[in-house]
Amino acid sequence: MDELNVRAADPMERCDEYPDSDFIPAPCQQGCPLGTDIPSYVGLIAEEKLEAAFEVISESNPFPATCGRVCAKPCETQCRRGESDGPVSIRSLKRFVTEQVGRQHRENPFPVTRKKTVGIVGGGPTGLTAARDLAEAGYEVHLYEKSGRLGGMMAAGIPPFRLPERFVEADIERILEDCPGIMVRLNCALGDGVSLDELKEKHDAVLLAPGLWRDRKLGVPGEKEGIEGLLGIGFLTGLNQGESIRLEGEVVVVGGGNVAMDAARAALRAGAATVELFCLEALDQMPAWKHEIEEALQEGVRINPSWGPKEIFSENGKLTGIEFVRCTSVFDAQGRFNPEYDHKSVLRKDARAVLVCIGLELENEELQRAGLLERGRVKADFESMRTADPLVFAAGDSAFGPSAIVYAIHHGHRAAHYIEAHLEGVKNPQPYRVRYSSRQVSIIQDPRWETLAREEPRRTLSADAPLSDECELTYERDVAVRQAIRCLRCDAETGTADYSRRTREHIQSMARTDPADVERQRSILQARLKPRKNPFPTGRPANLDDIVFLPAALTRLVIDPYREACSTSTPVGRSLTLRQPFLFTGFDDAPAPVREALALALESSGCAYLGFRPLGKAARAPWLQLLGAPDEVPSPEASGLVFMMGERFEPISPSRLTPDRLLGLCSTGPLLAEVIPYALEKGFDLLVLDGTKGMGRAGSELESEPDFSIMHEAITILRELNREEDIDLAYFGGLRSGTDVAKVLARNCRAAVFGAAVSIAMGGVIAGRAVEFPEGGAVEVDERRLWAENWIKATAQETAIIARCTGKTNVHNLEPEDMRSITLTGAEAMGISLASGCAPREYF
Amino acid sequence: MVTIDLAQTTVRKVNEILRGFGATHQNAEIVNPDAKHYIGVGLVTPTKVIIRGSAGYYCGGLCDGPHFKVDKNVSWGVGDNLLAGSIEVGGNAGAIAGVGMRGGDIVVRGNVGSRAGQVMKKGTLCCAGNANFMAGYMIYGGRVIILGNSGERVGEDMMGGEIYVGGKVESLGNDAMLVEPSSTDLDSVMEFLDRYDIAFQGSFKKIVCAGKTLRYGTAEPRLRKIPFTTFSSGGAEDYWNAKVQEDIRVKAHIGRYRIRGYGTSRHLPHFQDIAFKADLTGAGMDPDVVSRVNLRTFLGEKHGGRSLDLSMPVMIAPMSYGALSKQMKLALGIASRMSGISENSGEGGMLSEERAEARQMIAQCLAGRLGWNVHDVKRADCIEIYISQGAKPGLGGQLMAEKLTREIAAVRGIPAGMDLRSPSRHPDILGGDDLIMKVEELREATGWRVPISIKLGAGRIRDDIKIALKDGIDFVELDGMQGGTGAAGSEVAEFVGIPTIAGLQEAIDGLAEIDCQGQLPIVLMGGVKDGVDAAKAIALGATAVACGSSMLIAAGCIACMQCSVGSCVIGAATQDPEHTARFDVEKRALQVHQYLEAIRWQLASIAHAHGYSDIRQLSRNDLVALTPEAAALTRLPYDESLAGKVRGRI
């Protein structure tokens, strides 16, 4: 099987399939032919949620324990951290999880719910995966296995020091327990125990996945059946079946793939004095994985690249040696296998055994007779997994050539997809697509993540060890967690909508695409041409965030001193001067220690409180008394009185106890037309514009989107009366930051009123429409006071810095002309021009 | 000694002659200087130049090595950025004498104007008379000697260096303090005075930086990311979202505004809200599309300089060595050469290794003059005067102490280990009229050889661009509020400036209002991510685009937005060797190059699909707006039917 066959289809194209238009699988996930949600399980390991991690792994992979040990790990090749200090050790992490929780993990069994049945030939990874998928879909599946056990080459061909049999068994056991609808017939080969016709008769579909089992021949002189010491795959399968095969003396392995590496290492363990491996390919062309080659070298295997076998020598039916000829090139200019030799360069090796590991073939007369074979493979179409026979499907190595387990599993999923469509009578099924999903696991906050290095699992590379001793160990828990923390979490959304995860992946795809790969360039371009959903749909309420400030540059001078110096001193009405343009409200029902902390913070920060009652008896910050009902009595302690308008406008007869006492009104939008002329007439100092549905009520800021248009309405009315300067405005509702304050000030207000924001700063937690203080008395008053002071200081800095950006050294010099709106709604509600409106300017 | 009569020739000619004399070790006497500006600008040889009279602006500016004697007075900016050599002024000096000097001696025998020695880093500035206000303003190092009175607010916001006052200290500036001078200090000062035959009998007071505001207080808690999933835009539930709460809690913890990297994070009207009218599903079918469309772009020939020669209308946006690691800068330099475009030094000096890698290098001139020097000016292919940027317009650059290592500080000529906040305004560009003087000084320093551009954050751009046009700028680099940065106050990054598409529209409108359409090339930046955005920008009227953040992403940046912290996981935005070790220059350079080539392919494919053979044939007529906002901001026709659909699949 060509691995390109299962190269992930272009992820650019696939985004359509997901409801979240920003979804794009993480690179590792794209690398995995099963689409395993790797970032999620790695994230879960970082949080030590191993059970959940196992569920993620086993969802797409029926053989987690097996793959945890011997997977080709195409995911790690794609890992973005691989571009800097080594990929996340995904396979080893998977191994860790399966070791910890794999054995005991069980799903609820899937019952048989359908009438139709499927016959599958071959109990290897392809057959078992297809069986599991079909059984999960409710079909009864009959699995016909030639040998006496399931697992195919996983069980038979991989030596125990790399994959102890019990792990394959555990994976298979789980599949069979989860899927009682799978009926297994062992020792039942196609053409021996059962015929193809029988299968077709008994079942509604047949899947051929018998695998490859017969050694390919070297095709050199001297190669004969029955020479003692001339071995092939039987050496490995024999060992795995517990046969005691002993080797001695010099052993030669022919072949450059992973099986050859396994055979060489197994040969050392089986008693060989020396093992020399010869292969056609140059060292960097060998098909074996790099780490397999390295491990073989470390164990003492000697590798001789670029040699092709020439002749086998034997005496009296016993192997004595082998001759090689120098191979100068393996592939021709078209990339076809067409080795060239330098016949002058010949090497003769004496050997007691030669292990031929140059590949396997399919041998099945039954299929030959049925006309389903072509050039030693079951002829099948990868896009439908069908053979020439409409009832017969084929998958795995026997159809598409030798490959790694994870691709065999992919084949199983793929075949099950088309078989299911066939069983349901779907004529033109949707093409099989690897299923990607993301559980959006949160990211653990561990500051070490940037510098933690990749740690390889401990290896015990010793050819002297017994065959059953694993050559690699599982991570310790702390190592596994460290390794999981290293994950860059390419699956997680970024902090910026402008460079969202999807955009970032697109840019990185561009950076990883060969400029000459026109097909890929085209698909990236199409993905990039796609417009986004309008982030400002019609009907969306106006938002303070739609307002931006115009910075100083050339026409408006940039402010010189570079520190944050900018005046925030705020005179309000006749008698009050605040150090910051902030008033605070909404703490009348807060716990006493919270009120006390706020009182202290307001005093030290030079701000005032606006409430029905003072923050405390000893509170020294100015208190503006809110008066809601006509019968409420003005307090002599209050620095000012603010009368709240109810739902209707009602005249108030205010009286000042002292001539410098400040008088104010608080009003919502609908009443402004009446309230403003009245307030001006009566000489009120302050008008609090309430952008919520009623400032007096607790949590009014949390119950609805604030109405910012009230500021624009108020100033419009004042302007019509030509009395803009005659009353100070303050705004309440939905203010979160110093920038919000800057907007309020620029929109002609004198001060901003905070409620919810400072409660959050003081440890409050939003619970429905209220802010609660769960720590209660557990937090010292002084600590909470510090939070409030810090927040006020930071927020004032924000206001000041915004003013400075616009070229102002006093926050009260901010004006509407310093602002622009980026949306039409914002422009209308706030009375602010669009960022690039069409009104032309005069020549200057 | 040769005598040159300035009444008979131009300053430009005289400066050419002086450079020639310098090469042959000849000295010169200039008569009839008539207080002309830029006399002796850009000399890098130890020539002696005697000026018989008074000189104007920037006398001896941007020099390394020469010795000037001016008989009478000089106007402002004498010895601007002096690296070595000396300037003796017989009379008085105007404002900002010795501005940004990095070595050598400047002696003024009379009085000096305000802000003497502003942002100086090294060398000695001596005034035998009185100083005006804010002498030693924002100095990072070096020595200011004032024999007379100090003037008001002496040493304002100084960050290093020392100021000696022989007369009265009228008032101390912010973060400045008086200390007792040591005998070594005084011996050294007296030795200096002796060298220049200046008699002084009194005693000195020494002023140094008090160091109270060099560092921010509490560090921000380290968080891996600030997810954007919701903004305060979709109703009451979203209003107080997790991000809003996080900001509030962090501020309650640290007691100051938050700082982060990157540009505006929330949604803004942007290029994605604009589409091409044409069906582009077949774009790029021609396998050789790149050779079918002319993309080559020349920038900056307007005033006779040698223009930048870009293989496509794309540049790398200015990003400093400091904000970025040396490795990342090298990768950018290499990629810019491989793709035939320009690289930019950003703030903080030109990295020699990068200069060597990049074929075309722009030197950025900023207010703090950090790392700024005549040699980099001379080896640059273009000078860019930074006025403001999209991410933090109206403010100066920021570099947190974690990234201001000794090496970076040495390049910049400043003390290491402070939270560096660069000045927001140039000492010598207070407005449009000063700008023109600065441009001329730079033209003199470079022998009128290279283009001079200006970088503007998008704000009041409709008017700013008219000033730029009139001040003899070759092209404008316009940065919308989506433009990224290594560190900015998060609220400023989020809410100051206007969106990139709005900025471009304002600039184009501004030029149209004075009937100068197309007379000032505009390089647009601020969230340009690919060839699609670039093609739209060009269709809207930009001459070229520049990419910054996306270059870093191409090199593996994961957009965690914690650039200011200095522990970048990919080693791009850090100075810590433990972190930069993870950065593979060659691999990353290739990625950036491939990214640029993908942009090239996209530009060509889009133009070709329209039937154009030159990218400049794209025009507004090829575009529609997909949202009411984009339509209102750009005046493109609004076509709702195209929104949410891929063109061509309708």
Side-chain angles (χ1 to χ4, degrees):
Chain A
M1 169 183 28
D2 182 354
E3 291 188 7
L4 284 178
N5 277 340
V6 286
R7 192 181 87 162
D10 198 332
M12 306 282 168
E13 302 262 320
R14 268 198 318 262
C15 296
D16 290 351
E17 295 169 29
Y18 300 93
D20 171 7
S21 62
D22 274 330
F23 183 78
I24 189 165
C28 52
Q29 206 176 352
Q30 288 179 36
C32 177
L34 312 181
T36 303
D37 185 6
I38 294 162
S40 292
Y41 85 67
V42 172
L44 289 165
I45 295 170
E47 292 183 65
E48 301 190 51
K49 294 178 181 164
L50 304 184
E51 194 73 37
F54 187 84
E55 266 167 40
V56 175
I57 297 170
S58 59
E59 183 184 53
S60 55
N61 188 342
F63 301 100
T66 307
C67 286
R69 283 178 164 72
V70 295
C71 186
K73 52 184 180 181
C75 49
E76 291 188 26
T77 320
Q78 298 299 316
C79 174
R80 288 283 155 81
R81 190 135 188 178
E83 293 172 354
S84 40
D85 59 346
V88 174
S89 42
I90 300 168
R91 180 181 63 76
S92 300
L93 286 172
K94 190 199 313 269
R95 172 173 174 160
F96 166 74
V97 175
T98 57
E99 194 96 323
Q100 296 284 318
V101 297
R103 285 188 158 266
Q104 64 270 27
H105 187 89
R106 289 291 180 275
E107 302 273 337
N108 288 328
F110 295 92
V112 176
T113 56
R114 313 278 192 124
K115 290 221 172 74
K116 292 182 176 174
T117 67
V118 182
I120 296 181
V121 177
T126 305
L128 278 165
T129 302
R132 186 181 87 150
D133 285 1
L134 291 164
E136 282 185 12
Y139 296 100
E140 190 177 289
V141 182
H142 293 250
L143 201 58
Y144 302 88
E145 167 57 40
K146 177 172 104 172
S147 74
R149 59 176 173 175
L150 291 175
M153 273 298 173
M154 290 191 299
I158 302 174
F161 58 87
R162 289 190 54 220
L163 177 63
E165 198 180 344
R166 62 180 187 280
F167 292 104
V168 184
E169 280 169 2
D171 282 336
I172 294 171
E173 203 176 294
R174 188 179 329 96
I175 296 171
L176 296 182
E177 282 185 27
D178 288 350
C179 305
I182 301 177
M183 313 289 162
V184 180
R185 275 184 69 187
L186 298 176
N187 301 310
C188 178
L190 183 65
D192 191 357
V194 66
S195 75
L196 187 60
D197 286 340
E198 266 177 75
L199 289 177
K200 282 163 66 179
E201 199 177 314
K202 268 178 74 177
H203 302 295
D204 301 280
V206 175
L207 173 64
L208 301 176
L212 305 173
W213 291 92
R214 190 171 71 183
D215 285 305
R216 279 176 55 199
K217 297 276 173 273
L218 291 171
V220 297
E223 188 182 22
K224 289 191 293 251
E225 288 288 329
I227 297 179
E228 191 184 328
L230 182 59
L231 299 165
I233 190 70
F235 170 64
L236 285 174
T237 54
L239 281 178
N240 273 3
Q241 275 165 13
E243 289 174 31
S244 68
I245 306 176
R246 293 304 296 171
L247 300 176
E248 51 191 25
E250 295 166 306
V251 172
V252 166
V253 177
V254 183
N258 289 330
V259 175
M261 298 303 143
D262 282 349
R265 293 168 69 184
L268 283 173
R269 287 170 171 77
T274 64
V275 174
E276 298 229 17
L277 182 145
F278 290 83
C279 64
L280 276 180
E281 298 86 358
L283 196 60
D284 57 350
Q285 287 180 327
M286 287 171 64
W289 301 328
K290 217 172 134 221
H291 71 270
E292 298 279 341
I293 298 172
E294 276 165 15
E295 287 177 16
L297 285 169
Q298 281 178 45
E299 288 187 358
V301 174
R302 286 177 56 192
I303 294 179
N304 306 277
S306 301
W307 289 102
K310 187 162 181 272
E311 190 173 350
I312 301 277
F313 301 98
S314 56
E315 272 172 34
N316 307 323
K318 278 193 175 177
L319 191 118
T320 55
I322 178 167
E323 195 170 67
F324 292 96
V325 59
R326 177 58 81 187
C327 174
T328 52
S329 75
V330 183
F331 301 100
D332 65 15
Q334 280 74 46
R336 284 178 303 222
F337 181 76
N338 187 10
E340 300 264 345
Y341 299 99
D342 173 5
H343 290 282
K344 282 187 259 148
S345 181
V346 173
L347 179 76
R348 161 91 196 238
K349 277 302 294 178
D350 289 336
R352 301 279 288 274
V354 168
L355 309 179
V356 180
C357 305
I358 59 164
L360 299 168
E361 306 177 322
L362 178 67
E363 179 192 34
N364 196 301
E365 285 170 19
E366 175 92 358
L367 295 174
Q368 189 77 50
R369 272 198 304 278
L372 294 177
L373 295 193
E374 186 182 88
R375 283 193 285 178
R377 305 256 167 91
V378 182
K379 192 187 174 211
D381 171 21
F382 192 68
E383 294 312 319
S384 67
M385 303 307 264
R386 283 178 179 278
T387 66
D389 187 322
L391 282 186
V392 181
F393 296 75
D397 287 2
S398 54
F400 300 103
S403 184
I405 295 168
V406 69
Y407 295 99
I409 300 171
H410 168 92
H411 276 208
H413 286 312
R414 180 176 270 270
H417 169 83
Y418 289 109
I419 291 170
E420 205 183 329
H422 165 76
L423 296 175
E424 284 175 13
V426 180
K427 281 274 173 291
N428 293 305
Q430 287 286 315
Y432 175 73
R433 293 273 178 88
V434 176
R435 238 193 314 235
Y436 296 100
S437 60
S438 170
R439 280 155 193 75
Q440 300 179 342
V441 171
S442 60
I443 298 180
I444 194 161
Q445 296 293 341
D446 189 316
R448 296 172 302 166
W449 76 287
E450 283 145 345
T451 43
L452 284 171
R454 179 176 162 116
E455 293 168 77
E456 298 299 336
R458 280 203 294 136
R459 297 214 162 85
T460 52
L461 297 177
S462 161
D464 301 332
L467 206 55
S468 56
D469 275 14
E470 285 200 76
C471 61
E472 183 186 285
L473 302 182
T474 307
Y475 279 148
E476 299 293 326
R477 198 181 188 91
D478 57 331
V479 182
V481 169
R482 277 203 298 275
Q483 295 303 295
I485 289 168
R486 290 183 74 238
C487 178
L488 297 180
R489 295 302 301 272
C490 305
D491 64 314
E493 194 43 272
T494 67
T496 163
D498 199 27
Y499 289 93
S500 68
R501 192 169 156 271
R502 181 167 184 267
T503 302
R504 184 189 66 199
E505 294 303 327
H506 283 174
I507 290 172
Q508 298 194 340
S509 292
M510 287 165 74
R512 283 157 186 77
T513 299
D514 183 334
D517 185 348
V518 175
E519 202 178 312
R520 183 134 180 84
Q521 296 284 7
R522 265 205 296 271
S523 88
I524 296 173
L525 175 60
Q526 289 309 318
R528 292 305 297 158
L529 280 169
K530 206 181 290 184
R532 65 173 173 186
K533 213 168 85 189
N534 184 4
F536 313 108
T538 340
R540 168 186 169 278
N543 191 303
L544 267 192
D545 291 352
D546 295 357
I547 305 299
V548 295
F549 287 94
L550 288 179
L554 285 174
T555 30
R556 173 76 61 84
L557 284 185
V558 175
I559 298 298
D560 198 8
Y562 78 122
R563 299 286 156 92
E564 283 89 24
C566 177
S567 171
T568 54
S569 175
T570 304
V572 179
R574 65 191 60 215
S575 55
L576 193 59
T577 299
L578 307 172
R579 279 224 304 282
Q580 320 291 356
F582 308 150
L583 298 166
F584 293 85
T585 192
F587 283 72
D588 290 339
D589 301 320
V594 175
R595 291 163 51 78
E596 190 188 341
L598 182 66
L600 292 167
L602 295 189
E603 185 189 335
S604 62
S605 309
C607 300
Y609 184 67
L610 183 60
F612 291 105
R613 57 191 185 111
L615 282 171
K617 285 218 161 58
R620 278 182 294 176
W623 168 45
L624 302 180
Q625 185 183 9
L626 276 179
L627 293 155
D631 55 347
E632 278 176 78
V633 186
S635 161
E637 292 164 49
S639 313
L641 306 176
V642 176
F643 296 88
M644 301 197 62
M645 284 291 154
E647 306 214 333
R648 282 195 319 277
F649 168 70
E650 274 171 34
I652 294 147
S653 39
S655 58
R656 290 187 171 89
L657 289 183
T658 58
D660 64 350
R661 185 182 244 191
L662 184 145
L663 284 183
L665 279 171
C666 175
S667 169
T668 54
L671 307 182
L672 286 179
E674 287 169 285
V675 167
I676 290 176
Y678 175 77
L680 290 170
E681 183 199 322
K682 297 287 179 190
F684 277 83
D685 303 273
L686 175 68
L687 175 60
V688 179
L689 303 168
D690 184 358
T692 70
K693 298 222 158 66
M695 186 174 80
R697 285 212 307 277
S700 68
E701 271 187 298
L702 302 173
E703 69 188 16
S704 60
E705 185 98 358
D707 173 18
F708 301 106
S709 65
I710 185 173
M711 289 180 272
H712 181 42
E713 282 165 40
I715 203 69
T716 308
I717 295 169
L718 282 166
R719 202 163 282 169
E720 276 166 12
L721 299 168
N722 200 21
R723 294 191 64 182
E724 278 172 78
E725 307 296 326
D726 292 352
I727 190 165
D728 285 337
L729 302 177
Y731 170 80
F732 170 73
L735 300 181
R736 303 153 297 180
S737 65
T739 312
D740 286 355
V741 175
K743 289 170 183 174
V744 164
L745 300 185
R747 190 57 277 187
N748 311 82
C749 290
R750 172 64 63 178
V753 187
F754 280 115
V758 75
S759 342
I760 295 168
M762 294 177 76
V765 172
I766 295 178
R769 287 181 181 179
V771 178
E772 289 170 358
F773 294 88
E775 304 102 332
V779 180
E780 295 286 324
V781 168
D782 265 356
E783 192 175 2
R784 218 186 279 277
R785 172 188 58 93
L786 184 65
W787 291 342
E789 282 173 354
N790 275 342
W791 183 80
I792 291 170
K793 191 171 145 207
T795 303
Q797 269 181 3
E798 287 174 346
T799 310
I801 209 163
I802 295 280
R804 292 174 46 76
C805 285
T806 67
K808 307 287 167 72
T809 48
N810 185 324
V811 295
H812 296 292
N813 289 346
L814 284 163
E815 53 190 344
E817 290 76 6
D818 291 322
M819 298 192 285
R820 290 288 183 269
S821 175
I822 57 164
T823 62
L824 296 164
T825 337
E828 196 185 337
M830 296 280 288
I832 301 292
S833 313
L834 270 177
S836 50
C838 48
R841 278 168 183 257
E842 300 287 314
Y843 182 90
F844 77 94
Chain B
M1 179 78 70
V2 182
T3 301
I4 307 167
D5 187 354
L6 239 177
Q8 305 295 316
T9 182
T10 62
V11 170
R12 187 170 168 181
K13 200 89 194 161
V14 167
N15 284 341
E16 273 172 33
I17 294 167
L18 288 178
R19 279 194 285 269
F21 282 4
T24 55
H25 303 282
Q26 286 202 56
N27 300 328
E29 177 188 49
I30 295 171
V31 295
N32 296 317
D34 196 24
K36 283 182 176 160
H37 308 311
Y38 326 118
I39 299 174
V41 162
L43 278 183
V44 289
T45 47
T47 324
K48 283 199 176 72
V49 180
I50 298 168
I51 299 171
R52 299 292 183 206
S54 291
Y57 275 37
Y58 300 118
C59 175
L62 285 162
C63 284
D64 184 9
H67 299 279
F68 289 93
K69 268 190 177 166
V70 185
D71 285 353
K72 290 189 176 159
N73 306 318
V74 291
S75 189
W76 88 349
V78 62
D80 166 31
N81 200 245
L82 185 69
L83 285 187
S86 65
I87 302 177
E88 291 174 64
V89 178
N92 301 324
I96 51 169
V99 56
M101 65 186 287
R102 296 188 68 175
D105 302 336
I106 298 178
V107 175
V108 178
R109 294 184 192 277
N111 304 322
V112 293
S114 62
R115 300 182 283 132
Q118 185 170 349
V119 299
M120 74 183 278
K121 320 224 164 38
K122 222 176 159 186
T124 302
L125 169 66
C126 174
C127 159
N130 299 323
N132 207 326
F133 62 85
M134 285 192 190
Y137 182 26
M138 287 191 277
I139 62 174
Y140 297 96
R143 177 170 64 171
V144 178
I145 304 169
I146 302 164
L147 301 188
N149 299 334
S150 73
E152 298 285 316
R153 302 182 74 89
V154 61
E156 173 88 356
D157 284 334
M158 64 191 293
M159 289 154 274
E162 42 206 37
I163 302 172
Y164 297 92
V165 180
K168 195 173 131 206
V169 173
E170 290 174 38
S171 67
L172 282 176
N174 180 47
D175 213 21
M177 66 175 183
L178 281 168
V179 292
E180 203 54 47
S182 70
S183 59
T184 330
D185 289 340
L186 294 174
D187 290 350
S188 172
V189 169
M190 292 316 291
E191 185 274 328
F192 182 91
L193 296 179
D194 287 348
R195 198 158 8 116
Y196 289 96
D197 291 327
I198 301 169
F200 179 72
Q201 304 302 329
S203 63
F204 281 108
K205 292 174 264 309
K206 183 182 180 186
I207 300 164
V208 295
C209 168
K212 290 191 187 114
T213 55
L214 291 181
R215 289 294 308 261
Y216 287 109
T218 323
E220 284 198 37
R222 288 280 306 283
L223 297 169
R224 268 189 75 171
K225 69 192 190 68
I226 314 160
F228 84 78
T229 46
T230 47
F231 293 97
S232 302
S233 61
E237 299 79 46
D238 286 346
Y239 194 83
W240 297 95
N241 60 61
K243 172 73 174 71
V244 168
Q245 295 186 41
E246 180 190 290
D247 278 344
I248 292 172
R249 295 211 172 91
V250 169
K251 282 186 283 181
H253 176 66
I254 63 177
R256 61 173 167 84
Y257 59 88
R258 294 193 77 179
I259 293 169
R260 64 164 172 82
Y262 267 66
T264 310
S265 69
R266 78 215 144 89
H267 291 287
L268 295 176
H270 205 2
F271 287 113
Q272 299 107 293
D273 303 327
I274 295 171
F276 291 98
K277 286 179 193 162
D279 175 359
L280 295 179
T281 40
M285 283 309 192
D286 186 330
D288 202 17
V289 68
V290 168
S291 69
R292 306 263 185 263
V293 178
N294 180 27
L295 298 173
R296 194 173 176 187
T297 301
F298 296 95
L299 262 179
E301 68 284 4
K302 198 171 171 205
H303 296 91
R306 191 185 61 209
S307 58
L308 292 173
D309 179 357
L310 308 173
S311 72
M312 61 176 159
V314 177
M315 300 162 86
I316 296 179
M319 293 179 281
S320 75
Y321 168 45
L324 302 185
S325 62
K326 179 180 280 183
Q327 288 80 351
M328 182 71 229
K329 284 298 278 176
L330 280 177
L332 290 174
I334 295 168
S336 75
R337 185 191 66 233
M338 290 172 81
S339 287
I341 63 166
S342 65
E343 198 348 38
N344 191 314
S345 72
E347 177 172 29
M350 195 180 280
L351 184 59
S352 289
E353 294 94 317
E354 192 195 18
R355 167 66 274 193
E357 291 293 354
R359 195 173 69 78
Q360 300 180 86
M361 187 80 193
I362 301 174
Q364 208 185 31
C365 174
L366 290 100
R369 306 290 154 80
L370 305 170
W372 181 247
N373 67 79
V374 62
H375 301 291
D376 287 348
V377 169
K378 285 180 184 291
R379 63 180 175 164
D381 300 289
C382 174
I383 308 288
E384 173 184 318
I385 301 172
Y386 167 107
I387 298 295
S388 62
Q389 72 184 96
K392 43 188 168 186
L395 299 177
Q398 291 184 315
L399 191 69
M400 298 297 110
E402 286 70 25
K403 293 169 82 172
L404 189 58
T405 58
R406 285 166 69 165
E407 188 181 354
I408 298 293
V411 175
R412 298 185 171 208
I414 61 175
M418 61 173 162
D419 286 325
L420 176 66
R421 281 156 283 177
S422 309
S424 51
R425 185 168 76 176
H426 286 266
D428 44 9
I429 307 173
L430 310 187
D433 45 354
D434 304 327
L435 173 61
I436 202 163
M437 304 298 286
K438 190 72 191 170
V439 170
E440 298 273 303
E441 184 204 11
L442 294 172
R443 295 231 187 255
E444 282 300 327
T446 57
W448 295 72
R449 183 181 55 84
V450 301
I452 295 180
S453 70
I454 189 173
K455 176 160 177 182
L456 289 168
R460 301 173 187 275
I461 196 70
R462 193 187 280 250
D463 292 333
D464 290 347
I465 197 150
K466 296 169 189 164
I467 294 179
L469 178 85
K470 291 181 179 188
D471 280 0
I473 300 289
D474 288 302
F475 63 93
V476 168
E477 286 144 300
L478 176 59
D479 193 11
M481 72 184 296
Q482 290 97 321
T485 183
S490 64
E491 293 291 307
V492 173
E494 211 65 69
F495 294 107
V496 182
I498 61 174
T500 303
I501 54 171
L504 178 59
Q505 191 59 42
E506 288 276 277
I508 285 165
D509 286 353
L511 289 174
E513 281 167 13
I514 54 171
D515 293 326
C516 292
Q517 295 97 322
Q519 290 187 22
L520 187 55
I522 297 164
V523 178
L524 188 67
M525 53 184 100
V528 176
K529 301 180 187 70
D530 51 27
V532 179
D533 290 351
K536 288 172 187 170
I538 288 163
L540 282 169
T543 303
V545 296
C547 302
S549 308
S550 60
M551 293 289 160
L552 305 185
I553 293 176
C557 163
I558 62 166
C560 74
M561 302 166 76
Q562 309 282 301
C563 325
S564 58
V565 175
S567 52
C568 178
V569 70
I570 67 151
T574 174
Q575 302 301 331
D576 183 339
E578 193 191 355
H579 292 277
T580 55
R582 293 190 294 269
F583 193 95
D584 179 332
V585 174
E586 270 179 47
K587 194 189 287 175
R588 299 308 194 183
L590 184 67
Q591 287 174 346
V592 176
H593 166 61
Q594 294 197 151
Y595 171 66
L596 286 165
E597 292 311 300
I599 291 179
R600 184 193 312 282
W601 190 91
Q602 292 168 354
L603 280 170
S605 298
I606 290 168
H608 192 247
H610 281 86
Y612 300 149
S613 59
D614 191 301
I615 190 71
R616 283 154 282 263
Q617 285 170 274
L618 284 169
S619 75
R620 290 176 61 87
N621 298 330
D622 295 317
L623 301 175
V624 286
L626 301 177
T627 66
E629 269 71 24
L633 295 181
T634 60
R635 262 83 81 204
L636 287 170
Y638 172 42
D639 190 342
E640 193 180 12
S641 68
L642 298 181
K645 294 174 187 163
V646 180
R647 288 293 298 124
R649 289 190 195 164
I650 301 160

